[in-house]
Amino acid sequence: MTRAAFSYDFPHRHLISVADLNPVDIRIIFERAAHWLAVNRTPDKSSDVLKGLTVLNLFFEASTRTQGSFEMAGKRLGADVVNFAVAHSSASKGESLSDTARTLAAMRPDIMVVRHSATGAPRFLAERTGLAVVNAGDGMHEHPTQALLDSFTLAQHWGEVGGKRILIVGDILHSRVARSNIGLLNILGAEIRLCAPPTLLPSDVDQWGCDVFHDLDEALQDCDAVMALRQQKERMSGGFVPSAREFFHLFGLTHERLEVCSPDVLVMHPGPMNRGTEIHTKLADDPEKSVILEQVESGVAVRMAVLELIGETIRRDFGNRETGQ
Ligand code: ASP
């Protein structure tokens, strides 16, 4: 499969925050993701849209879904994909982030996919290296491709996400998934509800444009989708919740609880999920309600779309430089 002719010049070289995207950018990403979703369901998934480009996966934090799907996305698009093993790198010998990045940039990759525990690391690397950077999760800040794949999954069911009522429940305080989803769902015009104990909500939550609840049964009323979040224990410095058992009792998703939602409610989780803490295992595996594995499938397609569009920008910028435009 060869490169598509684009009628829209995607104006971004980086994807660092959902706030960088406008509704047209999002529509184009979803259109291309729908294309790749269909391609990925055929036995011939290979394409050459990124042929000649090198994608560097630079993950300073653990990842299964995100790293695996970026790798698969890059490979299916014909890029050379290098997974940089941070645990065995000079970073573990005390090299600064800036030096590691500039060293890697000197090898002339084209796109750097970055996950880091520090907020702002992807933007810092974009500025330092001049490479195209995709944020694959920075601390508690943002995870833009997760939000895109979540809304894309919902749009596959509904057509439009705008006007729907979506509840995000759990550890909102520490969640970059929540922050990116709230940003994107606001752009798309959804009604957003948040539900968490006060200890797991940020102090400025009233400025986020969401309705905030502490009681899950109240929050679930007439929702069209519910997204459970993982408790980010790695970002908790003390006891934010009494026990996993009590958390499940108050904030865990179950079939019984969902009875007050819209009858076609969709259940989501970005993974990795803790069964019995955030969601009942039967609900997680319910093929009628749970779209958790669809989210994973959408993740590859959305990341293909993002890499493809950024690849187009790189080629266009290069062409313009060559012709002095
Ligand atoms: N995989 C998501 C992230 O990296 C969610 C999680 O880890 O809980 O933020």
Side-chain angles (χ1 to χ4, degrees), residues 128-155:
R128 273 301 152 101
T129 64
L131 296 175
V133 170
V134 180
N135 181 0
D138 61 331
M140 297 172 5
H141 180 226
E142 280 236 29
H143 193 351
T145 57
Q146 177 72 47
L148 285 165
L149 75 88
D150 289 338
S151 280
F152 175 75
T153 304
L154 295 175

Side-chain angles (χ1 to χ4, degrees), residues 108-130:
R108 297 216 167 262
D110 301 282
I111 304 177
M112 216 183 239
V113 178
V114 182
R115 169 169 290 190
H116 200 283
S117 58
T119 291
R123 198 173 295 281
F124 172 82
L125 292 180
E127 284 163 8
R128 273 301 152 101
T129 64

Side-chain angles (χ1 to χ4, degrees), residues 7 11 17 22 44 69-70 91 113 121 129 157 168 183 196 235 237 265 281 302 316:
S7 52
S17 163
N22 66 36
D44 184 11
S69 60
F70 267 113
V113 178
T129 64
H157 282 264
I168 305 177
R235 298 185 218 288
S237 48
V265 66
T281 192
V302 163
R316 198 177 58 236

Side-chain angles (χ1 to χ4, degrees), residues 256-270:
E256 297 69 46
R257 280 209 146 118
L258 295 194
E259 277 167 19
V260 297
C261 296
S262 136
D264 301 323
V265 66
L266 300 175
V267 175
M268 315 177 84
H269 195 299

